[in-house]
Amino acid sequence: RIYLIFNPVHFLVDSSDNIAELIEQLEAGSKQSVGDFDAYSLDHTTLFVKGKQGWIMDGDPQRSAKLLSEQLTIASNKSIASLKGVGKFLERNDEVMRIVVAMTPANASGWTCVDASFGSNATQVDVNAIYLNANGDEIDMNANLQKINSKLIDYTAPSDVFVAAMGLRSDTDWDAILGYVQAVYPLDYKQRTLMGLILPYLRRIDGTIMVAAGPMADATMSAGDIENQISFVVAIEMNKDNIKKTMSDINGLISTMGLSALRDGNSIVWQVAGSPAITLTAEGNCLVFANRSLKQLGNDAARDCMKGNVVAVWANIPDSMGEVTYGGRGFSLDMEVSDDFEADFRFNGSNAPILEQFAMLMQADGNVNVVDDYDSLGFTPIDTIK
């Protein structure tokens, strides 16, 4: 059993033989004694072992061992499964992986609980998450947000391969949201500085922010000059006073960058040499950036994904485009947040079980194509093992 409690990763096994097997499979270095633990070096991390338990931590081994001892003392050596609500979540046996992330770095006394399983005949990965407070009660994840305004999806195009949206209130607790991000994905100094610059503009949002992108109608996507072949639109709802302030700020920024811009009523148009013109337009209570016409047909698949959610991401990269633009497989992703979190991921271009597709992608020969004929895969499919 594996628990991820933010940092470290915690292993709990049935016997010391399992620990020995784990050490062998991880190709760990030779054993050293660090504090109260047996320590084994891994790539950029250290595996600490004590009894039937193991922990993987990054950083200086001496400091990590000391921190780990302090954590165990605070926890009185109780299993993470003994925490209210968390134990019940971890004891479910219907998924292939369960992760618990402590929200202490976000100044919150609770846990984000994530599970992963395989769906659609094992061809996709399904990920779900819930938030538990300190009492083990499930709390809705949409407390700081509001439902996405699906009318903004009218700006999208059927050719878009990526659409994301989030519904925000004017009184959104950005400190709580950034704290949550910091807990799940720690930001470094440069990232925190950037967020400090962006945050005043984020606080102006009052409604939905939506981003969509896809290939230009007359362009064939290629890795060489992909940035000039992308058609995009960004739509942001805010009150009209903040729209005026933002347009004024952006107009000043354009001048500072030495770019020439044309202002026409509620629109500002500017262009970087060799790139499509970008238009900033105020439409009612919506500010829209785009390098294409705002009159589009919409993207019905993305619209279905956004409906009724406070956060949603829809992506559908055709297999051929994936290979041409970044040398990888195409994929599809649906991610939704309402009161909880749900995400579905699958590769395009094959109906083979997704674990087999991952295995093929990790082979040394990068030119191997995943096929649907299981007999030619060269190993026993997962779903036939008894």
Side-chain angles (χ1 to χ4, degrees), residues 125 345 347 353-363 370:
V125 178
F345 174 89
F347 289 115
I354 195 165
L355 278 183
E356 297 177 11
Q357 298 189 58
F358 274 122
M360 296 294 284
L361 289 171
M362 289 187 290
Q363 287 188 166
V370 177

Side-chain angles (χ1 to χ4, degrees), residues 236-301:
I236 308 170
E237 289 187 316
M238 57 179 69
N239 68 48
K240 292 186 178 181
D241 287 341
N242 281 331
I243 285 178
K244 291 179 180 179
K245 291 178 185 177
T246 305
M247 291 194 73
S248 177
D249 291 344
I250 293 175
N251 194 39
L253 178 62
I254 292 171
S255 299
T256 301
M257 295 173 64
L259 299 174
S260 58
L262 172 65
R263 183 146 194 171
D264 180 17
N266 291 330
S267 297
I268 301 175
V269 182
W270 71 95
Q271 185 171 17
V272 178
S275 299
I278 297 175
T279 302
L280 171 62
T281 303
E283 290 205 339
N285 67 331
C286 197
L287 196 62
V288 187
F289 296 82
N291 65 350
R292 66 191 190 195
S293 169
L294 299 186
K295 295 181 180 180
Q296 296 289 342
L297 297 174
N299 185 307
D300 290 339

Side-chain angles (χ1 to χ4, degrees), residues 228-239:
N228 290 333
Q229 300 165 17
I230 293 177
S231 164
F232 73 86
V233 61
V234 179
I236 308 170
E237 289 187 316
M238 57 179 69
N239 68 48

Side-chain angles (χ1 to χ4, degrees), residues 309-355:
N309 295 303
V310 298
V311 177
V313 175
W314 174 88
N316 187 25
I317 311 294
D319 201 39
S320 57
M321 182 186 297
E323 292 178 359
V324 169
T325 56
Y326 53 83
R329 295 288 307 281
F331 66 89
S332 62
L333 168 69
D334 285 0
M335 187 184 79
E336 305 168 1
V337 178
S338 52
D339 53 349
D340 58 3
F341 171 93
E342 298 179 10
D344 301 322
F345 174 89
R346 65 180 296 153
F347 289 115
N348 289 326
S350 174
N351 291 321
I354 195 165
L355 278 183

Side-chain angles (χ1 to χ4, degrees), residues 106-382:
N107 297 317
S109 55
W111 310 84
T112 294
C113 303
V114 184
D115 66 66
S117 60
F118 299 115
S120 188
N121 296 321
T123 60
Q124 70 181 34
V125 178
D126 300 332
V127 179
N128 298 277
I130 59 174
Y131 178 68
L132 301 178
N133 65 12
N135 295 321
D137 300 322
E138 186 173 341
I139 303 298
D140 291 348
M141 289 185 172
N142 57 6
N144 287 302
L145 305 170
Q146 64 180 346
K147 289 184 179 180
I148 294 166
N149 181 358
S150 59
K151 289 186 67 66
L152 269 64
I153 308 302
D154 292 345
Y155 292 122
T156 64
S159 59
D160 284 333
V161 296
F162 174 83
V163 182
M166 176 183 291
L168 298 164
R169 301 194 310 261
S170 58
D171 62 346
T172 293
D173 188 347
W174 279 101
D175 293 331
I177 291 177
L178 294 179
Y180 189 92
V181 172
Q182 176 73 13
V184 177
Y185 179 79
L187 304 177
D188 59 25
Y189 172 76
K190 291 182 179 179
Q191 291 169 327
R192 290 196 299 271
T193 301
L194 178 61
M195 288 307 302
L197 296 173
I198 296 175
L199 194 56
Y201 294 96
L202 294 178
R203 295 189 190 281
R204 295 179 182 178
I205 300 173
D206 185 10
T208 297
I209 176 171
M210 186 275 296
V211 179
M216 288 288 190
D218 58 348
T220 301
M221 298 288 282
S222 64
D225 194 21
I226 187 172
E227 65 274 11
N228 290 333
Q229 300 165 17
I230 293 177
S231 164
F232 73 86
V233 61
V234 179
I236 308 170
E237 289 187 316
M238 57 179 69
N239 68 48
K240 292 186 178 181
D241 287 341
N242 281 331
I243 285 178
K244 291 179 180 179
K245 291 178 185 177
T246 305
M247 291 194 73
S248 177
D249 291 344
I250 293 175
N251 194 39
L253 178 62
I254 292 171
S255 299
T256 301
M257 295 173 64
L259 299 174
S260 58
L262 172 65
R263 183 146 194 171
D264 180 17
N266 291 330
S267 297
I268 301 175
V269 182
W270 71 95
Q271 185 171 17
V272 178
S275 299
I278 297 175
T279 302
L280 171 62
T281 303
E283 290 205 339
N285 67 331
C286 197
L287 196 62
V288 187
F289 296 82
N291 65 350
R292 66 191 190 195
S293 169
L294 299 186
K295 295 181 180 180
Q296 296 289 342
L297 297 174
N299 185 307
D300 290 339
R303 193 187 307 274
D304 290 342
C305 181
M306 307 293 152
K307 186 177 179 180
N309 295 303
V310 298
V311 177
V313 175
W314 174 88
N316 187 25
I317 311 294
D319 201 39
S320 57
M321 182 186 297
E323 292 178 359
V324 169
T325 56
Y326 53 83
R329 295 288 307 281
F331 66 89
S332 62
L333 168 69
D334 285 0
M335 187 184 79
E336 305 168 1
V337 178
S338 52
D339 53 349
D340 58 3
F341 171 93
E342 298 179 10
D344 301 322
F345 174 89
R346 65 180 296 153
F347 289 115
N348 289 326
S350 174
N351 291 321
I354 195 165
L355 278 183
E356 297 177 11
Q357 298 189 58
F358 274 122
M360 296 294 284
L361 289 171
M362 289 187 290
Q363 287 188 166
D365 184 359
N367 295 320
V368 174
N369 292 320
V370 177
V371 295
D372 292 335
D373 182 2
Y374 296 170
D375 293 335
S376 65
L377 287 174
F379 54 89
T380 305
I382 292 293

